[in-house]
Amino acid sequence: MKQHEHFNFSTGVVAYPLLFLLFIWMVFWFEVRFGFNFSNYGIYPQTLKGLRGIVLGPFVHGDIQHIYHNSIPLFVLSMALFYFYRPIAWKVIVFGILMSGFFTWSIGRPSYHIGASGLIYVLVSFTFFKGVFSKYYRLVALSLLVVFLYGSMIWYTLPIEEGVSWEGHLSGLVTGFLFAMFFRSKIVKPKKYAWEQDGYNEADDPFLKHFDKDGNFIEHIPPEIEQEQPAVNYTFKENKE
């Protein structure tokens, strides 16, 4: 398996989420610094003018508490997205904003819906369900971590708190689930060790021949066992990708 098919940490894993989050904070700073209020650029359901909020609404926040509570989960989840699902990360973010925003526009109350929480619910839902569907232990572990950290967010998809866009949260949750089902792009696979390869025979492993049946190390392998060892070619070949 080629190197780029394995889990690979790179600067983009941190840089892209950080730049995305920085842009959101710059919009908020601009509002505070120059006395603007961009709330009317949010999603206003069932109106033609309110459609612009599908694109602009995620970058607008009402106050410092609102943007602070969205920043940490957005950064953590987007980092996980770029680390484990880099080939489709931007698709999930861009189409996640558009689709969850359209759902919110379709079912929302007549009010301005702002903030990145809809995208956060897309990432929570996608990360959890895609990890379960993939059946890779690392991604399943990531899904369980998401549930542990953000599992209580499920309650905010219901109208339990005044002034909270539960419609946006529910739209993000549904969108993430749909993406987990229908995004068929290849997911990076964890590297397999020798004992995980197809056709591996433990009895032919030269390393294991140095141990007896009780697990004790054998410094000098008996000749009859040593003769059974297959020849190993240590010639290095240039890796062309």
Side-chain angles (χ1 to χ4, degrees), residues 12 21 76 78 112-113 122 198 211-212:
L21 187 62
V76 172
S78 56
Y112 287 106
H113 299 254
V122 171
D198 296 333
F211 297 87
D212 60 22

Side-chain angles (χ1 to χ4, degrees), residues 110-151:
S111 178
Y112 287 106
H113 299 254
I114 60 175
S117 55
L119 176 59
I120 292 173
Y121 275 80
V122 171
L123 298 179
V124 168
S125 179
F126 174 81
T127 303
F128 174 75
F129 288 110
K130 196 63 176 176
V132 173
F133 296 158
S134 68
K135 297 181 181 179
Y136 293 139
Y137 69 94
R138 296 185 189 181
L139 303 183
V140 172
L142 177 64
S143 298
L144 296 176
L145 179 62
V146 168
V147 171
F148 175 76
L149 294 176
Y150 305 113

Side-chain angles (χ1 to χ4, degrees), residues 32-93:
V32 175
R33 176 65 177 81
F34 298 101
F36 286 93
N37 186 356
F38 293 151
S39 295
N40 58 342
Y41 286 92
I43 300 172
Y44 200 93
Q46 291 97 52
T47 65
L48 187 61
K49 186 178 179 180
L51 285 171
R52 65 184 181 182
I54 294 176
V55 176
L56 302 178
F59 303 98
V60 181
H61 292 79
D63 53 37
I64 188 67
Q65 185 177 7
H66 187 200
I67 191 173
Y68 170 76
H69 286 302
N70 280 348
S71 294
I72 297 177
L74 181 61
F75 182 68
V76 172
L77 291 167
S78 56
M79 277 186 59
L81 180 70
F82 277 98
Y83 181 69
F84 290 103
Y85 306 101
R86 185 166 185 174
I88 57 174
W90 281 115
K91 292 182 181 179
V92 172
I93 291 177

Side-chain angles (χ1 to χ4, degrees), residues 221-234:
I221 305 177
E224 62 274 12
I225 297 180
E226 187 173 9
Q227 291 176 0
E228 297 176 1
Q229 296 187 37
V232 179
N233 184 6
Y234 290 101

Side-chain angles (χ1 to χ4, degrees), residues 8 48 189 216:
N8 184 26
L48 187 61
K189 298 180 180 180
N216 299 315

